[in-house]
């Protein structure tokens, strides 16, 4: 894996916070826990690093304390670098930067950071798509096609009722986008945008400066939808496994997706690992009466009871005689003895005393907020 | 470079070949041997150092240092990447008086006097790299100061039957050491040395230089330095340690120590957040336990995929246990694959091995009835393939693929 000094990665860590407001009440999208030991920002960060992109900026908005704590100096992603490395870009971090409304004014706020990078190309991504992607062929295709913008999309089923932040592309035979719709009133198989874009720094500078002059701020509404500008938008298909998190149910399903070996192997590819902050937990200890089926279990857990179809994050304890099914128990959750738990999502440090019964449903999982004691 | 003075510097003797662990150490130094699911032996002394507030550690390496050097790296996992101090790997080197290997434990420290002097310490803690224990060295240093000792030796009160296999301290009522006996046939005390020393640096330096000039041939702490200090009436004190301590110098004791982690009484608690044992991580995803798996009484870590049966075993990172495979009373080191139908019992399987379909490693002692002499744990080294259907007998040590 070589380092590509010519590409800058930018992560919007606070977009889509409203989609899963339960989980973002005390944090931002990028620091939402996922997959047993990860935070959502680990996926874009690792994708950049695995693509040789070692200059990375993280643009945040609010509630970013947990995000700062998680990424620290970027050492765990090998981004504590002298050349490039990780830069956190919260509001008010640069001259004239303030709370922003959209991506374009957010970029305007931190433009001096982008300008001073050695990169000629910029890859932009949000934190709401969980996938493993190599950006090198995308950047190569962008250059080859002479595009203004390359938008990464996937072919999939779009349901207007569930996906509140969809960008749907029409694509011509030449591979360029000929139509763009945001949340169209329809359902069916579509080319769905993954909120990942490649642009040259020169082009990005132009649209950011022009948009600020016209008081525009949305990349999607003011640039992609603006057909009068006739930008050349290349569509690049990403066909391997992804999940898009736009609601608590999709968050729940995206986690449980990891119980599928094929999807898990695609996401945690051996040659492109997902990096995260280490916590120095001991291995999982399974007790004498433990009974585990089809579950993903992070280190530091102590399991004395029964667990089926679950994602257990680091440091979870399941007491004797308890039965936990179809649930997501995030970090340091403690479930006492003889409990029955099904279709539940518990946020960090939830304690459930003995002999409790909690049941949600697959289509509407029961969410228990951070630090709750039941 | 101008180093700040450090009151305490630790020197970790990690050069040992570990000949009694040979199947697991022919291509790595003993302190790099995997232990307890996600650790290597050296994680224990290094974590103890950092938890004790010792931030300057020299690791003396000699035998097969590649794996160990890479593992220690910059010392980040143990919080020992410091601008001032931190962990330093110290292999033998060539000086203007010539190059020489470390000839003994005392000689290894002697050759690194200049490293220690850079920090101008008051005390030097000397540690081994092959013991499993949690210990606050700062309390031992405090004791050393209170006793105004020149050398303090950590001791464990052992059963008399074990005393004849260890270095034994004979002490007066004040715990001042009056005599030292290496592996006495008739032990006069049950206070066994744990191989953990606190020296007043000025004294240690004097004795290291004298020992070097005397050219005894052994240049060893137990054989030379301690007897010489005793003979000269220096103040040697024993510091009694209470808690879990295990020498893992043999394959049997390595297996035992891993099994101790599964004991319901939890003699060694790895879940205590106030005294974490740190290790270098491999970026594995969480472990996956499949729908047909049966897992109980086990310790399993990240990156493992279990579809078979696991009971009373320690499974390291990145291990695959296929459907229909059985692992009981065993230790499976990182990256190993146990194929479908294979049985591994009472065994240690090294790193990156493949145990073929329906192969059978080890046997239960129950199959041997009263005649347990023929029984022992079976061991395969690292990067070994056991072909489908092959058997590895109890006590057998496999160091080449079969």
């Amino acid at each position: 894996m070589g380092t590509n000094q010519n590409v800058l990665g930018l992560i919007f860590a606070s977009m889509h916070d409203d989609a899963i407001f339960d989980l973002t009440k005390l944090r931002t999208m990028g620091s939402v826990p996922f997959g047993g030991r990860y935070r959502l920002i680990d996926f874009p960060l690792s994708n950049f690093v695995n693509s040789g992109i070692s200059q990375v900026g993280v643009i945040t908005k609010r509630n970013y304390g947990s995000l700062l704590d998680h990424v620290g100096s970027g050492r765990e992603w090998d981004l504590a670098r002298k050349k490039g490395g990780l830069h956190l870009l919260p509001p008010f971090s640069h001259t004239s930067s303030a709370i922003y409304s959209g991506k374009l004014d957010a970029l305007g706020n931190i433009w001096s950071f982008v300008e001073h990078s050695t990169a000629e190309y910029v890859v932009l991504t949000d934190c709401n798509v969980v996938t493993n992607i190599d950006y090198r062929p995308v950047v190569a295709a962008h250059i080859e096609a002479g595009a203004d913008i390359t938008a990464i999309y996937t072919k999939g089923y779009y349901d207007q009722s569930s996906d509140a932040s969809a960008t749907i592309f029409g694509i011509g035979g030449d591979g360029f986008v000929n139509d763009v719709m945001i949340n169209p009133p329809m359902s069916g198989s579509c080319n769905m945008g993954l909120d990942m874009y490649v642009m040259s720094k020169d082009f990005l500078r132009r649209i950011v400066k022009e948009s600020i002059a016209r008081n525009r701020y949305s990349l999607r509404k003011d640039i992609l939808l603006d057909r009068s500008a006739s930008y050349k938008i290349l569509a690049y298909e990403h066909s391997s496994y992804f999940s898009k998190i736009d609601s608590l149910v999709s968050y729940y399903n995206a986690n449980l997706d990891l119980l599928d070996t094929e999807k898990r192997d695609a996401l945690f590819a051996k040659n492109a690992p997902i990096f995260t902050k280490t916590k120095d937990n001991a291995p999982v200890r399974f007790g004498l009466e433990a009974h585990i089926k089809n579950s993903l279990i992070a280190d530091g857990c102590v399991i004395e009871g029964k667990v089926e179809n679950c994602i257990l994050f680091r440091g979870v304890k399941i007491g004797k005689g308890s039965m936990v099914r179809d649930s997501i128990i995030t970090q340091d959750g403690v479930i006492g003895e003889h409990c029955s738990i099904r279709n539940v999502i518990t946020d960090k440090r939830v304690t459930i005393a003995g002999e409790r019964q909690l049941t949600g449903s697959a289509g509407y999982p029961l969410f228990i907020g951070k630090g709750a004691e039941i | 470079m101008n180093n700040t003075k450090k009151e305490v510097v630790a020197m970790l003797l990690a050069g040992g070949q570990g000949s009694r662990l040979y199947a697991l150490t022919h291509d790595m130094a003993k302190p790099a041997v995997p232990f307890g699911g996600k650790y290597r032996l050296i994680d224990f002394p290094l974590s103890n150092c950092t938890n004790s507030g010792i931030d300057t550690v020299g690791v003396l390496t000699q035998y097969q240092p590649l794996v160990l050097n890479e593992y220690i790296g910059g010392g980040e996992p143990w919080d020992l990447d410091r601008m001032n101090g931190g962990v330093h790997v110290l292999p033998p080197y060539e000086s203007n008086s010539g190059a020489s290997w470390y000839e003994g434990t005392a000689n290894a420290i002697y050759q690194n006097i200049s490293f220690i002097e850079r920090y101008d310490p008051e005390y030097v803690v000397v540690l081994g790299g092959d013991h499993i224990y949690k210990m606050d060295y700062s309390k031992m240093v405090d004791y050393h100061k209170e006793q105004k000792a020149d050398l303090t030796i950590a001791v464990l009160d052992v059963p008399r039957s074990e005393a004849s296999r260890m270095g034994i301290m004979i002490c007066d009522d004040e715990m001042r050491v009056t005599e030292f006996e290496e592996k006495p046939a008739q032990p006069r005390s049950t206070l066994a040395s744990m191989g953990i020393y606190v020296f007043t640096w000025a004294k240690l330096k004097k004795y290291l230089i004298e020992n070097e000039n005397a050219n005894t041939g052994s240049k060893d702490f137990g054989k030379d330095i301690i007897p010489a200090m005793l003979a000269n009436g220096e103040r040697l004190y024993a510091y009694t340690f209470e808690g879990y301590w295990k020498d893992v110098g043999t394959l049997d004791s390595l297996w035992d120590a891993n099994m101790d982690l599964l004991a319901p009484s939890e003699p060694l608690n790895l879940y205590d957040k106030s005294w974490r044992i740190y290790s270098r991580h491999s970026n594995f995803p969480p472990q996956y336990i499949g729908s047909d798996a049966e897992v109980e009484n086990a310790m399993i870590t990240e990156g493992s995929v279990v579809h078979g049966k696991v009971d009373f075993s320690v499974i390291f990172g990145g291990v695959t246990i296929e459907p229909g495979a059985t692992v009981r009373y065993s230790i499976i080191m990182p990256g190993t694959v146990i194929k479908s139908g294979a049985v591994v019992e009472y065994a240690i399987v090294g790193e990156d091995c493949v145990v073929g379909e329906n192969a059978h490693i080890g046997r239960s002692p129950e199959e041997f009835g009263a005649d347990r002499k023929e029984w022992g744990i079976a061991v395969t080294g690292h990067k070994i393939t056991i072909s489908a259907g092959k058997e590895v007998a109890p006590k057998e040590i496999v160091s080449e693929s079969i």
Side-chain angles (χ1 to χ4, degrees), chain A residues 37 75 281 283 286 294 299, chain B residues 38 81 271 284 288 293 298 301:
Chain A
R37 62 192 292 267
R75 189 166 72 187
N281 285 296
F286 295 98
N294 191 38
D299 274 2
Chain B
K38 65 191 295 188
D81 54 326
Y271 299 87
F284 285 126
Y288 175 71
T301 194

Side-chain angles (χ1 to χ4, degrees), chain B residues 139-318:
Chain B
K139 289 186 179 155
M140 184 171 166
V141 172
D142 289 344
Y143 174 87
H144 179 85
K145 290 186 216 168
E146 280 162 27
Q147 303 298 342
K148 297 187 173 59
D150 299 307
L151 163 60
T152 300
I153 300 161
V155 295
L156 196 69
D157 200 355
V158 297
R160 200 161 282 273
S161 57
E162 284 180 33
S164 54
R165 295 191 287 112
M166 306 180 85
I168 295 297
M169 302 291 153
I170 294 138
C171 302
D172 66 14
D173 295 344
E174 310 284 291
M175 291 304 279
R176 183 163 175 175
V177 179
T178 54
E179 278 179 77
F180 168 69
E181 292 182 324
E182 189 69 62
K183 294 176 186 162
Q186 301 292 327
R188 287 187 286 148
S189 146
T190 53
L191 298 176
S193 168
M194 297 163 66
I196 300 164
Y197 309 111
V198 176
F199 286 96
T200 298
W201 171 235
K203 277 278 153 67
L204 174 59
K205 189 181 166 189
K206 170 176 174 278
Y207 279 91
L208 287 175
I209 292 168
E210 284 176 12
N211 175 243
E212 190 63 26
N213 293 339
N215 214 354
T216 58
S218 50
K219 299 180 181 178
D220 182 86
F221 279 106
K223 293 194 182 88
D224 305 301
I225 303 290
I226 297 172
M229 289 180 79
L230 273 174
N232 287 349
E234 304 287 6
R235 294 174 67 84
L236 274 65
Y237 279 83
Y239 174 77
T240 311
F241 174 76
E242 284 171 10
Y244 184 86
W245 179 85
K246 193 105 179 176
D247 181 338
V248 287
T250 66
L251 292 165
D252 285 341
S253 62
L254 182 67
W255 184 83
D256 280 343
N258 276 281
M259 291 298 134
D260 283 346
L261 295 171
L262 302 173
S265 57
E266 291 185 55
L268 180 68
N269 180 3
L270 296 174
Y271 299 87
D272 174 8
K273 289 184 179 174
S274 69
W275 203 272
R276 283 188 196 273
I277 304 301
Y278 300 96
S279 64
R280 188 174 288 281
H281 287 232
S282 316
N283 280 306
F284 285 126
Q287 62 181 291
Y288 175 71
I289 309 290
S291 295
D292 299 321
E294 287 177 47
V295 175
E296 53 180 38
N297 209 29
M299 200 173 240
I300 307 181
T301 194
E302 287 162 352
S304 286
V305 176
V306 179
H307 291 289
K309 228 172 139 171
V310 178
D311 190 11
F312 239 102
S313 295
V314 176
I315 312 294
F316 285 71

Side-chain angles (χ1 to χ4, degrees), chain A residues 225-244:
Chain A
L225 279 188
D226 181 6
R227 306 308 300 156
S228 65
S230 64
Y231 298 126
K232 286 175 73 186
I233 304 172
L234 179 70
Y236 186 96
E237 187 186 353
H238 173 59
S239 54
S240 80
Y241 172 75
F242 80 101
S243 64
K244 189 171 172 188

Side-chain angles (χ1 to χ4, degrees), chain A residues 43-305:
Chain A
F43 296 90
L45 275 180
S46 303
N47 286 334
F48 281 150
V49 170
N50 292 331
S51 304
I53 299 171
S54 63
Q55 309 178 55
V56 178
V58 176
I59 300 168
T60 66
K61 193 167 191 176
R62 54 175 67 93
N63 284 353
Y64 50 77
S66 59
L67 187 79
L68 301 192
D69 179 49
H70 180 71
V71 297
S73 65
R75 189 166 72 187
E76 259 112 357
W77 299 265
D78 208 14
L79 287 173
R81 300 260 69 87
K82 289 197 172 179
K83 281 187 180 172
L86 182 75
H87 291 264
L88 292 159
L89 305 164
F92 309 108
S93 60
H94 287 63
T95 327
S96 82
S97 75
I99 291 290
Y100 53 86
S101 305
K103 281 183 186 160
L104 294 173
D105 57 338
L107 287 166
N109 287 343
I110 54 101
W111 188 257
S112 61
F113 164 77
V114 180
E115 193 62 57
H116 286 119
S117 139
T118 58
E120 271 183 85
Y121 296 93
V122 183
V123 180
L124 305 139
T125 181
D126 297 353
C127 290
N128 60 329
V129 171
V130 174
T131 193
N132 195 318
I133 181 169
D134 184 351
Y135 288 114
R136 284 171 293 196
V138 190
V139 174
H142 175 83
I143 296 170
E144 164 90 27
D148 294 321
I149 300 173
T150 294
I152 301 174
Y153 75 99
T154 189
K155 288 197 172 84
Y157 186 81
Y158 161 70
D159 178 356
Q160 198 249 334
S161 63
S162 72
D163 193 334
S165 64
T167 312
I168 306 296
F169 295 116
I171 301 169
D174 57 357
F176 281 86
V177 170
N178 58 22
D179 193 14
V180 182
M181 288 176 285
I182 296 175
N183 301 334
M186 52 173 253
S187 292
S189 186
C190 287
N191 302 314
M192 293 194 292
L194 293 178
D195 297 315
M196 300 174 184
Y197 306 98
V198 180
M199 291 172 229
S200 69
K201 186 159 83 182
D202 290 341
F203 180 79
L204 187 60
R205 183 195 301 109
R206 200 180 107 204
I207 60 170
V208 166
K209 299 290 177 198
E210 284 177 8
S211 300
I212 290 168
R214 295 193 168 93
N215 196 24
R216 291 170 166 179
Y217 51 82
S218 168
L219 177 64
R220 288 197 307 168
K221 288 179 182 147
D222 299 320
I223 303 296
L224 300 183
L225 279 188
D226 181 6
R227 306 308 300 156
S228 65
S230 64
Y231 298 126
K232 286 175 73 186
I233 304 172
L234 179 70
Y236 186 96
E237 187 186 353
H238 173 59
S239 54
S240 80
Y241 172 75
F242 80 101
S243 64
K244 189 171 172 188
I245 293 164
D246 49 32
S247 65
L248 194 64
V249 176
S250 66
Y251 172 79
Y252 175 75
N253 290 330
N255 272 282
L256 293 183
D257 257 4
L258 300 179
L259 299 177
D260 180 320
T261 296
E262 213 168 286
K263 291 173 178 171
R264 197 173 60 247
D265 288 349
L267 192 55
F268 302 112
K270 285 214 163 66
N271 57 356
I274 304 301
F275 304 95
T276 189
K277 184 182 180 182
T278 57
K279 297 264 178 163
D280 297 291
N281 285 296
V284 178
R285 176 86 164 80
F286 295 98
L288 275 168
E289 292 154 45
H291 167 100
I292 322 294
K293 301 286 179 205
N294 191 38
S295 292
L296 196 69
I297 305 170
D299 274 2
C301 292
V302 178
I303 300 171
E304 308 276 357

Side-chain angles (χ1 to χ4, degrees), chain B residues 117-129:
Chain B
E117 297 265 89
R118 287 160 70 89
Y119 300 99
D120 188 22
E122 298 301 313
Y123 309 102
V124 169
V125 179
V126 177
L127 305 166

